[in-house]
Amino acid sequence: MTTDHKKHISWNSRWTFIMAAAGSAIGLGNIWKFPYITGENGGGAFVLVYLLCIAIIGLPVLMAETLMGRHSRRNPISAMSRLASESDTSKAWVVIGLMGTLAGILIMSFYSVVAGWVMDYIVESARGSFVMATQNQVTAYFESGLTGNPKLQLAWHTAFVLMTVAVVAAGVTKGLGNAVRFMMPLLAILLVILLGYSISVGNVAEAARFLFSPDFSRLSAEGVLKAMGHSFFTLSIGMGAIMAYGSYMPAKVSIARTAITIVLLDTVFALMAGMAIFPLVFAHGIEPGSGPGLMFISLPMAFGGMPFGTFFACLFFILVLIAAWTSSISLIEPAVAWISENTRISRYISAGIIGLITWLGGVACIYREGVFGQLDMLASNIMLPLGGLLMAIFVGWIMKRKIAKKELEDLSYNQFNLWYATLRVFTPIGIVVVFAYSVGLLK
Ligand code: PHE
């Protein structure tokens, strides 16, 4: 335990930190969003841009964000204020913490609605509702039975928000640490089982071609922005979730090695999810670009027509729920830590307040058409990359270099300089170029 900050205790091992951060990173982004936006944006070329963004932007920012958190040992808003004053610069940099904390709340608003759908699908698959179902039947269920039924969505959304609030309220060492310790390995095991299942019964060749052979004529400028936005979303960076988790990271743990592990785990999970979903999609002649419903329409149908389908469908949605849960915890942790560390309000009440706010955001998504997509676009594709850009500029050009040196002391001279140069030059240029390209300034 650290005494750096009176209300701030740290996790007891590198393993717990990796599990927590990987739990944050691996979520609906990998299993639901990555396959469906890859499908909508033409496949291979999108995947390639996404992987490039992970390498040039994602990894350096992940390291920067973790070290900002660990050095300051505070929630992202207070962390920025402390880092700014230590570097004798303007308090305006607190905007990184503020915008990020807000982005987390916005993302949680639609994230919890999708997680609610997942809960509903656990029940429906267990009841055998999708056995031998046709594409039309499952589509009808998803579109009218579930997403056309606000009351049902509201009930599940409420349940999911409560589940998340309960863990965050219990606190980082008890709540987060224990929650992820056994959930992440379980998740990995379930995904490997599913992958084997899909490979043995699905159309693997077609899926691999779709995911890995790039055809740039199918990638639009907006697709490029979405690929970058998704690289932030999937790694949970640019909004302070990783800064908040980094603040609980033990001092002696290597940030670089940990970050590389998290990036590899996250990428492997996304590609595994893609390879678990697309062979089934192609085996059934389903449209890969069928949107947010990809996982909720094609998969249950595919499972429904296969041996042991009920069991595997159920297992799959439980897996997705676990992944969503460990991610949503980190979406509201910055806000909850900020309130409970800066006011006399307890962690329980803070978690309740933020839970209520995100619950209302979810209600807006459920009852008002268009809110869902707009929140996702604004938070994931604009606020996260903007937050990442500001973090890269802050750590690369504004913050005292010795802070970064100290936090990354295990790196050799060359390794440190490689990271530092990338963060200062290539990361910001990459983000700015994608922004400019997507609004039509570059062709
Ligand atoms: N990374 C999570 C996912 O892929 C979502 C997330 C984004 C979590 C930002 C925290 C912060 O599902």
Side-chain angles (χ1 to χ4, degrees), residues 73-103:
R73 296 256 178 245
R74 277 158 178 76
N75 66 80
I77 296 175
S78 315
M80 285 317 303
S81 141
R82 176 166 175 175
L83 289 168
S85 64
E86 267 182 38
S87 301
D88 308 314
T89 186
S90 158
K91 281 272 156 80
W93 287 99
V94 167
V95 69
I96 294 180
L98 287 169
M99 185 176 71
T101 302
L102 177 65

Side-chain angles (χ1 to χ4, degrees), residues 43 63 78 90 112 119 142 149-150 167 208 219 221 229 270 274 302 318 324 358:
M63 288 169 63
S78 315
S90 158
S112 56
M119 294 172 83
F142 180 70
N149 180 346
V167 177
L219 186 63
I318 291 175
T358 58

